[in-house]
Amino acid sequence: MRIDILTLFPEMFAPLKESIIKRAVEDEKVEINIINIRDFATPPHYKCDDEPFGGGAGMVMMCEPLFKAIESVMTPDSKIIYMSPRGKVFNQKYAEDLSKHTHLILICGHYEGIDQRVIDYFHIEELSIGDYVLTGGELPAMVVADSVIRLLPNVINDDSKAEESFTNGLLEYNQYTRPADYRGMKVPDVLLSGNHKKIAKYRKDESIKITRKNRPDLLK
């Protein structure tokens, strides 16, 4: 997979050079390119935003730099996404769908957003990571990239993905490791029993309990 991220602030993407994502890039499971939108603006000022027609607060990202930036990386296989609080809400199923694409273009908005003509012309899909507003699309783009990359084949162990939150419609059960007794807090006996059938039932019951407490909407 190839992921091109279009942004005004490329220096914000250092986290994508660490940990599991770093290994995925090194192992050539994914190619990540951070594209500076300002490189496609007109010199000498490289202006990328202007006042909105019709008035109102804030600034809007301009057509020309975005058109040129998108066209510089777009292919017939590109799935283009604009990170926007007014978009569809991102979830695990959405991440799974995106992981099947070979090329993603993620556009990071700023200020009051981007000129609507960019969205209309390229048939861009708008995507939100939750019902709140951030200062820009860089953090959401990293969230989407991370959640998609970890789903690619051989990036992480398939067994790790099989029972994690949302995979089966439930939140994940509690996890424990050594020591079995720490400051008087003991690991549940069933997890030390070696009885895999009982362990599986315990974990399923715990998943339901945690989901009912934290996300009862998932049980409907």
Side-chain angles (χ1 to χ4, degrees):
M1 171 181 279
R2 176 177 137 203
I3 300 177
D4 291 317
I5 302 176
L6 279 52
T7 174
L8 294 173
F9 301 97
E11 62 277 5
M12 289 185 65
F13 288 89
L16 295 183
K17 299 178 181 179
E18 303 293 338
S19 187
I20 292 172
I21 306 302
K22 177 183 178 181
R23 292 199 298 272
V25 172
E26 291 174 345
D27 293 341
E28 299 183 348
K29 309 297 183 188
V30 64
E31 174 188 347
I32 303 174
N33 301 303
I34 309 301
I35 312 298
N36 191 339
I37 298 169
R38 294 188 192 278
D39 291 342
F40 300 88
T42 303
H45 302 296
Y46 297 95
K47 185 176 176 61
C48 289
D49 63 300
D50 209 335
E51 296 176 353
F53 283 124
M59 305 289 276
V60 176
M61 291 176 65
M62 300 163 64
C63 279
E64 186 173 25
L66 281 166
F67 263 72
K68 291 181 176 179
I70 293 168
E71 289 169 343
S72 75
V73 296
M74 188 174 63
T75 74
D77 298 323
S78 299
K79 172 76 170 179
I80 310 177
I81 294 172
Y82 166 47
M83 308 310 306
S84 166
R86 72 180 194 179
K88 298 177 182 177
V89 178
F90 188 59
N91 57 26
Q92 187 67 16
K93 176 61 167 58
Y94 209 124
E96 291 169 359
D97 291 343
L98 291 182
S99 72
K100 296 178 174 64
H101 289 270
T102 58
H103 184 212
L104 300 180
I105 299 175
L106 306 181
I107 302 173
C108 304
H110 252 271
Y111 318 119
E112 295 303 311
I114 70 176
D115 192 301
Q116 181 64 33
R117 289 169 291 185
V118 179
I119 297 170
D120 294 341
Y121 183 86
F122 292 103
H123 305 290
I124 293 172
E125 193 163 317
E126 297 185 62
L127 184 60
S128 166
I129 62 167
D131 295 338
Y132 48 89
V133 180
L134 298 173
T135 56
E138 284 74 19
L139 293 175
M142 281 187 273
V143 167
V144 171
D146 185 290
S147 61
V148 169
I149 292 169
R150 66 186 300 279
L151 293 173
L152 298 178
N154 303 314
V155 170
I156 63 173
N157 189 294
D158 287 342
D159 291 341
S160 297
K161 294 183 284 188
E163 297 184 2
E164 62 190 7
S165 292
F166 308 112
T167 300
N168 57 6
L170 299 172
L171 302 183
E172 190 174 4
Y173 46 79
N174 295 332
Q175 298 279 14
Y176 302 88
T177 189
R178 294 182 178 84
D181 186 338
Y182 182 71
R183 297 189 179 186
M185 296 179 288
K186 297 182 179 180
V187 173
D189 290 337
V190 64
L191 298 178
L192 307 176
S193 68
N195 188 320
H196 297 296
K197 186 174 181 179
K198 287 185 177 180
I199 290 172
K201 182 180 184 307
Y202 167 81
R203 286 176 166 171
K204 178 68 175 295
D205 291 344
E206 288 298 297
S207 286
I208 294 173
K209 185 189 303 182
I210 293 167
T211 304
R212 182 175 291 116
K213 176 184 177 183
N214 295 341
R215 291 290 305 277
D217 55 296
L218 295 177
L219 296 174
K220 293 180 181 178

